[in-house]
Structure formats: C-alpha cells, structure tokens
Amino acid sequence: MTGQPVAPDDVLRALADPERLAVAGALAVSPRAAEELASACSLPVAKVRRHLARLTSAGIVAVDDDRRTYRLDADALRSVARAAAPARDPGLALGAVDDAEEAVLRQWFVGGRLTGIPAKRSKRLVILTRLALEFDVGVRYPEREVVEVLQRFHPDHASLRRYLVDEGLLSRDHGVYWRSGGPVALDS
C-alpha cells in the first residue's frame, strides 16, 4: 500500500474507464507485468502503461520492488469501500426486513439517536418497531426503565411510549410495560 489515504472518488473515476477496469480485474487475479496485462486485456502495451499509471496514482495498484510487476492493492480497495459506504450505527439496521425499512432507519437515526418522530404512520411504524427491539419479550418494565431506554434515542420519550402502546408494540398496566408486538429473535 502507498501509505497515503486513498480517496473514494479518485478510485471510482479511475475504475470508470472500461479498459482500466479490465486491467484492474486482471491484476485482481494475479500480479503481472505490463506486457502480460496487455496480452490478457488485448490492449497495446503503451495504453496499459498509461492505465497502470492512473491506477497507481489512484492508490489501488502498487509496483513491486522489481519495478516491472504490478499488483492490485486489495487493502486500499477495502479501505475505499469502508470510506464510501454509509455509516452503520451499531444496531441501526437490526430489525430492518428490507432495503426500504433500512432507508427509513438511516433517514431518522443519526449517531444512534432519533432525529425526530416521523409524522407519516408507515415510517413511524418502522421506527417504533426498531425501538420495540430494545425491550425483551417476557420482561416487565417499570415506567422509569421504559423512559430511560427511550430517552437514549429521543428526548420526547412520552410520545414514543404512547405510540409504542397505541401501535400494540408495548402493553401497559398500572405503570408496568411489556413487549406485546413486533419481531422476535428466534435462537437456533
């Protein structure tokens, strides 16, 4: 690896060219010299050298000590993939059944906190279903504990608590709450 941070946009621009992508793909199979790459990709050697220079400057191809053999830097690609991917807050996607639900969770949770309470019921249900996962099935919680859990996510714990009960995700009796709906994890 070059030791310099690799910028995701530089890598994407470098790989956007089909010929450069083919060169990178050939290097993914095994390290090779420019002449071998030219043969494998059916390209002139001079063009392959230009592509190698661009991929090297993007930080995803390195030259071995013999100064002839090129190799794909898989660690740099992994680093770029991590940097380009949206942040995943711990536990955020837990409970998302599909991409649409995960998109709602990403829209409304930042840094593990709820940025607001959606007015639209369908989105609010996704959020509430995720919050319901914070409560174990079969456990009875005094109101104080429910408030503590919900305050970790949003200051308006009273509205969240009321919505959870109204939607049948929590039940309440004389200040004691328990999980009565939502998904349940099954241990195998």
Side-chain angles (χ1 to χ4, degrees), residues 51-180:
H51 290 319
L52 286 168
R54 179 69 173 93
L55 292 168
T56 302
S57 72
I60 57 170
V61 167
V63 185
D64 283 354
D65 290 337
D66 67 4
R67 304 194 45 83
R68 292 187 65 245
T69 307
Y70 294 84
R71 69 181 56 252
L72 190 68
D73 189 341
D75 289 336
L77 281 175
R78 278 190 282 279
S79 172
V80 166
R82 279 191 299 276
R88 282 195 182 266
D89 295 321
L92 174 65
L94 179 64
V97 223
D98 56 29
D99 290 342
E101 285 190 10
E102 187 168 341
V104 170
L105 292 172
R106 287 189 190 290
Q107 176 186 359
W108 289 93
F109 280 93
V110 174
R113 299 226 359 120
L114 190 55
T115 61
I117 301 172
K120 189 173 183 182
R121 183 173 182 263
S122 61
K123 290 183 179 186
R124 191 171 55 243
L125 268 174
V126 171
I127 299 300
L128 295 171
T129 300
R130 169 58 189 91
L131 293 176
L133 293 172
E134 295 296 311
F135 302 96
D136 293 323
V137 174
V139 176
R140 301 221 175 233
Y141 297 90
E143 187 169 312
R144 171 185 45 79
E145 286 183 36
V146 173
V147 167
E148 287 173 9
V149 169
L150 295 176
Q151 278 183 327
R152 289 195 327 246
F153 295 97
H154 193 271
D156 189 359
H157 58 84
S159 292
L160 290 173
R161 193 173 68 240
R162 184 178 63 252
Y163 283 131
L164 285 163
V165 170
D166 289 349
E167 295 296 347
L169 296 166
L170 289 183
S171 291
R172 163 181 62 208
D173 185 34
H174 296 91
V176 176
Y177 295 76
W178 61 94
R179 238 327 257 290
S180 54

